[in-house]
Amino acid sequence: GKEGATFHPHNILLSVLGASLLWVGWIGFNGGSAGGSNKLSTVAILNTNVSAATASLSWMFTEWALRHRPSVLGMISGAIAGLVTITPGAGYVNITGAFCTGLIAGPVVYFAAQLKHRFHFDDALDAFGIHAPGGCLGGMLLAFFATEEVAGNDQFGDPIKGLFYGDSGMQILLQLYGIVVVAAWSSAMTFLILKGVDLTIGIRVAVEDELIGLDMVVHGHHHMDNSFRPGNSGSRENTDQSKRSDVLPNWIGDHSADNTAEREAREGAPGVSRAGTGWGGADPAVPRVPPRMQARDNSAEHGRDAPPHAGPQEIEAVLVGEIGEG
């Protein structure tokens, strides 16, 4: 993604559910494009399913060969790639063409989706990375796999067929011309729309809103209350200090009023340099940890071994342990 950021799905089950709903919806508009319940709509629905299933597997095997392990996220990305790529030819190719379309779509769209890491454009959901190359690829494959048996004749009475079924190659030029025109039109209109939005309400929200999370900023709550992650400022517990006592270890700074004197004695007066602690100290090798996050003394009262200088990694490890024990 942009600036080298790495995005991970927060819930694979919801991702699979979303892809499944997309798949069902895709059947609706590919089959519905025939204008009724007829032979053509049946062929379009069959081609849609075959291409999606094949692309899901070919994407999976491509990822498996390159990264040495398959992934569910990769399989659903492959399925979407197959749906996108077959759409131009769903009503023009037979089942063999649909299978070949999905087989080609998986690895081709997979490599195209990796370009965001090369050029650092922000596409966390691979919306452009899957739809743009998949749509262009499907438009070109139609010129190879279209068959008169499915597509019939054009408005001039000439049979519609691809290069593999006797076409002279003119259809390839027509498809390429259409792809270039659509790409130019879409790019120009998208730029104008985004420019207008940016000049009025703005395209990107404030950085602070991103860190807190748009669910909290816009709606006042998070969509998953149990999504606490150590160091995640968007979690419910991190935005409400009063709700953190049940998950924070005792040795991480206690903010209760009755421990104020003890804390001040342990941390020193405000503004005083704490040499060697990493907070206002001179040792750059020690992590910069605020005084309130420093470890307490290892006493029977607190009942826990705390590292002398609790850095973010140590704090996260203990937090995970606390949650696991709970």
Side-chain angles (χ1 to χ4, degrees):
K2 186 175 177 59
E3 299 174 355
T6 301
F7 298 94
H8 300 284
H10 79 282
N11 193 312
I12 289 292
L13 293 179
L14 291 181
S15 299
V16 172
L17 175 61
S20 301
L21 294 175
L22 267 177
W23 195 324
V24 173
W26 227 287
I27 291 173
F29 69 74
N30 270 3
S33 297
S37 179
N38 48 42
K39 177 183 177 181
L40 185 58
S41 66
T42 303
V43 172
I45 291 173
L46 178 62
N47 287 339
T48 300
N49 283 296
V50 169
S51 177
T54 307
S56 178
L57 292 176
S58 62
W59 182 301
M60 180 196 74
F61 283 116
T62 301
E63 185 179 42
W64 201 343
L66 296 176
R67 298 187 176 181
H68 308 293
R69 59 183 178 184
S71 70
V72 175
L73 187 63
M75 291 190 69
I76 63 178
S77 297
I80 301 302
L83 293 171
V84 171
T85 307
I86 193 57
T87 296
Y92 295 90
V93 304
N94 56 24
I95 192 172
T96 301
F99 174 81
C100 293
T101 296
L103 190 66
I104 297 171
V108 171
V109 179
Y110 171 84
F111 286 111
Q114 310 309 311
L115 293 177
K116 69 178 181 181
H117 302 298
R118 168 79 175 177
F119 297 102
H120 303 293
F121 57 84
D122 193 352
D123 190 16
L125 301 179
D126 287 328
F128 178 84
I130 290 179
H131 288 75
C136 294
L137 176 64
M140 292 305 302
L141 290 178
L142 185 156
F144 291 88
F145 293 104
T147 173
E148 181 182 358
E149 177 186 5
V150 176
N153 300 328
D154 60 18
Q155 64 269 33
F156 304 108
D158 299 324
I160 301 175
K161 52 187 178 181
L163 186 65
F164 295 155
Y165 293 90
D167 184 58
S168 62
M170 180 59 65
Q171 191 63 41
I172 296 178
L173 297 178
L174 292 175
Q175 292 298 116
L176 184 61
Y177 171 77
I179 291 171
V180 171
V181 170
V182 170
W185 171 262
S186 300
S187 300
M189 295 305 299
T190 300
F191 175 80
L192 292 177
I193 293 172
L194 291 178
K195 197 65 177 177
V197 172
D198 191 31
L199 292 175
T200 53
I201 63 176
I203 294 178
R204 184 171 182 177
V205 300
V207 176
E208 293 80 2
D209 294 345
E210 288 185 351
L211 295 175
I212 295 173
L214 292 183
D215 284 338
M216 177 60 68
V217 173
V218 178
H219 304 294
H221 61 79
H222 289 286
H223 68 293
M224 294 180 69
D225 284 342
N226 62 345
S227 59
F228 177 77
R229 294 292 184 272
N232 178 10
S233 59
S235 65
R236 173 172 59 92
E237 290 82 354
N238 277 348
T239 55
D240 188 350
Q241 291 288 343
S242 64
K243 299 179 181 179
R244 298 184 64 182
S245 59
D246 57 337
V247 295
L248 289 177
N250 291 332
W251 57 266
I252 295 182
D254 190 341
H255 301 281
S256 58
D258 56 343
N259 286 319
T260 301
E262 176 189 349
R263 187 172 65 254
E264 289 181 353
R266 183 175 64 254
E267 297 174 356
V272 177
S273 174
R274 294 170 53 87
T277 64
W279 187 258
D283 186 359
V286 179
R288 293 180 59 82
V289 182
R292 64 183 180 85
M293 301 299 284
Q294 295 294 327
R296 282 191 177 184
D297 296 333
N298 181 21
S299 63
E301 176 187 355
H302 305 121
R304 182 177 300 278
D305 291 333
H309 301 294
Q313 293 181 348
E314 290 86 350
I315 293 172
E316 178 175 342
V318 174
L319 284 172
V320 173
E322 289 283 325
I323 296 173
E325 294 171 4

